[in-house]
Amino acid sequence: MSFQLLNIKLHRFPVVVFTAFLAIFLGYGVTPAHAAPQGALGLRECLERAMTHAPELGEAQADVELMSGKLSEAKGWRWPQVDVLGLIGPVPRARGNQVSSPDSINSTDLTWFSRADVLLIQPIYSFGKLSHAMSAATHGIEVEKARKEQKRNEIAVKVKEYYYGVLLARELKSLLAEVRDDLNDAKKKAQKLLEQNSENVEEADVFKLDAFGGEVEKYIAEANKGETLALSALKARIGLSPGEPLEIADGRLTRVADQLAPLDEYVAKAKDGRPEFVQVREGLKAREELVAGAKAARYPDFFLGATLSAADSPGRDRVNNPWVPDEFNHFWGGAALGLKWKLDFGITSAKISQEQAQYDRLISTKQFAEENIPLEVTKFYDEGVEAAAAIEATRKGYENSKKWAVTALANFDFGVGPAKDIFDALQQYAKMRAAYFQAVYDYNMSMANLARAVGKAE
């Protein structure tokens, strides 16, 4: 939200207020209705409610749980896998033994059979395929947690923008009301002096005061609209419906207590704890494991296998000759050490290249972050320094212009000062007072953005 008040005249207030309205309106979102809060809400309570109701955090948490499921899946491959196959159906009768039988293999004299086969595979050694998959998923969970924290920081900045926006709109509305009251007093005095045929006032001065007052009334209406829009945006962000009441605990827009530390401290904090850096670090570790896992696919898997098969058919005689097995009437089993090796021509190499490309891409992302995030921290830091200086400068400006306005009004009241001095003084006072509130807002938002830039915006 940028009001650009330092270079404006009072007659440009509509552009100023509209800019504020637009910034607030663009942040408006629709969230489900919830019970109205008890009592006024401060910034901390608004932040807490926003974190509770933000759908973005629900999506981010789902991604964390999805990655946790992949870790569980990877761990599950360490344990035995059992395949069970059951069959039941018709089969030709078979009487006699392995030497002679009165029945034919194509006999239409049918009977029934039932069969069950169980195959158990216990992985023993996979050249790191399982361990790499588990490690990649573990780092993937940290990536998703950091992404969720990034969302929290972004939401916190938005809540602060709307919260301070409400206070800024109210300060502007109060300022305009003050100017209106001064104009009304001046108008009454001008009419009185005009009735007394004072040489210090002309009928045109009354018209000018009326015109100026009408313009101020217009701006007050727009300020009321801005307050309404800002409140609506804040309600939507913290989970209230448009019709639910919301009382703001702070009555005035004041500078936050945060004091700027040396810039190097903020840059160091960003590199250590900013969620984007955490995502890159953990993502690189995950990609390393995936590349190693893809390379491990070139090697075989060793396992312990066991099988058990049982079949029964009441219309077939059992044959015990090991050289003549009967698939429909038997009971056998066994165990063995096994080897499974899948060889291909180029497929595994292509998968390794794909994983390596993803790793290299993340290296470039890391370089980009290392170069640009410190620049972002510096930007918000400099904005905070500039806003702090502007607060002090504009405070002196509006205090002196207020004295000027009081003097101009007093001189006019005594009939020794022209009405033009009132216009000039009130115009300068309004400009400097509005610029002061803008500087306070800018400082507060620079602190909010700086906190997000180092990784902790709440």
Side-chain angles (χ1 to χ4, degrees):
M1 186 183 295
S2 177
F3 285 16
Q4 302 297 327
L5 292 175
L6 293 178
N7 299 316
I8 67 167
K9 299 296 184 182
L10 187 60
H11 63 271
R12 292 180 60 192
F13 260 40
V15 177
V16 173
V17 177
F18 176 75
T19 304
F21 297 166
L22 182 61
I24 295 170
F25 180 75
L26 290 177
Y28 183 83
V30 178
T31 56
H34 295 276
Q38 296 296 324
L41 297 182
L43 178 58
R44 175 57 54 188
E45 291 78 15
C46 289
L47 287 170
E48 291 174 354
R49 288 183 63 93
M51 298 308 167
T52 301
H53 299 94
E56 304 97 309
L57 295 184
E59 294 175 354
Q61 181 60 34
D63 291 336
V64 173
E65 295 172 358
L66 175 62
M67 191 56 64
S68 298
K70 291 184 177 181
L71 175 59
S72 298
E73 179 184 2
K75 290 180 177 179
W77 284 98
R78 298 176 301 172
W79 308 113
Q81 301 166 41
V82 180
D83 289 334
V84 178
L85 176 65
L87 297 172
I88 185 170
V91 66
R93 293 183 60 187
R95 294 166 294 175
N97 53 43
Q98 63 268 29
V99 177
S100 64
S101 173
D103 300 311
S104 169
I105 192 172
N106 295 321
S107 173
T108 58
D109 187 6
L110 302 178
T111 185
W112 291 92
F113 84 96
S114 58
R115 174 173 175 167
D117 293 277
V118 180
L119 176 64
L120 181 145
I121 300 294
Q122 170 61 63
I124 297 177
Y125 186 69
S126 65
F127 288 90
K129 297 183 185 71
L130 300 182
S131 60
H132 290 313
M134 287 187 290
S135 182
T138 300
H139 292 299
I141 292 174
E142 297 304 316
V143 170
E144 297 303 333
K145 287 181 178 179
R147 186 170 287 118
K148 180 180 179 181
E149 186 64 22
Q150 179 184 353
K151 292 288 186 182
R152 290 178 64 89
N153 290 341
E154 293 170 354
I155 292 169
V157 172
K158 278 297 181 183
V159 171
K160 291 177 181 179
E161 178 184 348
Y162 302 151
Y163 190 89
Y164 295 139
V166 172
L167 297 179
L168 179 57
R170 289 178 175 176
E171 293 289 8
L172 291 177
K173 185 172 68 171
S174 176
L175 171 62
L176 290 168
E178 181 183 355
V179 172
R180 177 189 60 190
D181 293 341
D182 289 340
L183 287 173
N184 289 336
D185 291 341
K187 178 183 174 182
K188 292 177 182 178
K189 183 59 180 179
Q191 290 174 335
K192 182 178 180 181
L193 292 175
L194 192 62
E195 292 172 357
Q196 296 173 354
N197 297 320
S198 172
E199 296 180 356
N200 197 47
V201 65
E202 300 177 354
E203 188 174 8
D205 292 331
V206 178
F207 297 150
K208 290 178 182 179
L209 289 169
D210 279 336
F212 200 4
E215 196 171 9
V216 170
E217 290 292 344
K218 174 187 174 183
Y219 305 151
I220 290 176
E222 292 181 350
N224 286 325
K225 178 183 177 183
E227 180 186 4
T228 301
L229 289 174
L231 275 173
S232 297
L234 183 59
K235 285 180 182 180
R237 186 71 273 183
I238 66 176
L240 295 178
S241 67
E244 291 181 279
L246 173 60
E247 294 294 332
I248 300 298
D250 293 298
R252 301 299 302 271
L253 176 61
T254 57
R255 173 177 169 173
V256 294
D258 300 5
Q259 298 298 320
L260 287 168
L263 175 60
D264 292 343
E265 292 186 16
Y266 292 105
V267 174
K269 288 180 180 178
K271 291 182 177 180
D272 181 62
R274 178 156 170 167
E276 288 89 333
F277 274 123
V278 175
Q279 291 177 54
V280 170
R281 285 198 299 268
E282 295 296 331
L284 280 173
K285 294 176 182 178
R287 285 296 170 188
E288 287 177 357
E289 297 295 339
L290 291 173
V291 171
K295 291 179 178 179
R298 292 171 170 169
Y299 305 104
D301 296 328
F302 291 95
F303 64 90
L304 179 65
T307 183
L308 179 66
S309 180
D312 179 67
S313 179
R316 297 174 66 93
D317 293 337
R318 184 176 296 273
V319 178
N320 296 319
N321 189 328
W323 297 101
V324 186
D326 186 352
E327 296 293 334
F328 304 103
N329 205 351
H330 65 262
F331 183 86
W332 60 57
L337 182 65
L339 167 70
K340 183 178 181 181
W341 198 353
K342 182 179 180 181
L343 301 175
D344 58 63
F345 299 94
I347 297 176
T348 300
S349 297
K351 291 181 178 180
I352 294 173
S353 298
Q354 293 172 25
E355 295 296 345
Q356 186 64 48
Q358 292 286 352
Y359 177 83
D360 294 340
R361 181 175 183 269
L362 205 52
I363 287 290
S364 298
T365 301
K366 180 175 181 290
Q367 294 173 348
F368 179 85
E370 289 175 344
E371 293 173 0
N372 286 274
I373 287 181
L375 291 178
E376 185 182 36
V377 173
T378 302
K379 172 181 177 293
F380 293 130
Y381 184 89
D382 290 342
E383 288 179 355
V385 172
E386 179 185 3
I391 289 173
E392 297 305 317
T394 54
R395 178 188 287 113
K396 295 177 181 177
Y398 84 72
E399 288 175 350
N400 289 327
S401 58
K402 179 61 176 178
K403 295 175 183 177
W404 177 18
V406 170
T407 301
L409 288 167
N411 290 340
F412 184 77
D413 191 44
F414 285 113
V416 296
K420 182 179 183 302
D421 286 352
I422 298 176
F423 300 140
D424 293 341
L426 288 179
Q427 178 176 292
Q428 185 64 19
Y429 170 68
K431 183 181 75 171
M432 296 307 298
R433 183 70 166 163
Y436 168 77
F437 289 128
Q438 178 66 52
V440 173
Y441 175 87
D442 290 343
Y443 183 83
N444 290 355
M445 287 308 303
S446 68
M447 292 297 98
N449 283 308
L450 187 59
R452 181 191 63 80
V454 301
K456 199 64 177 177
E458 291 185 58

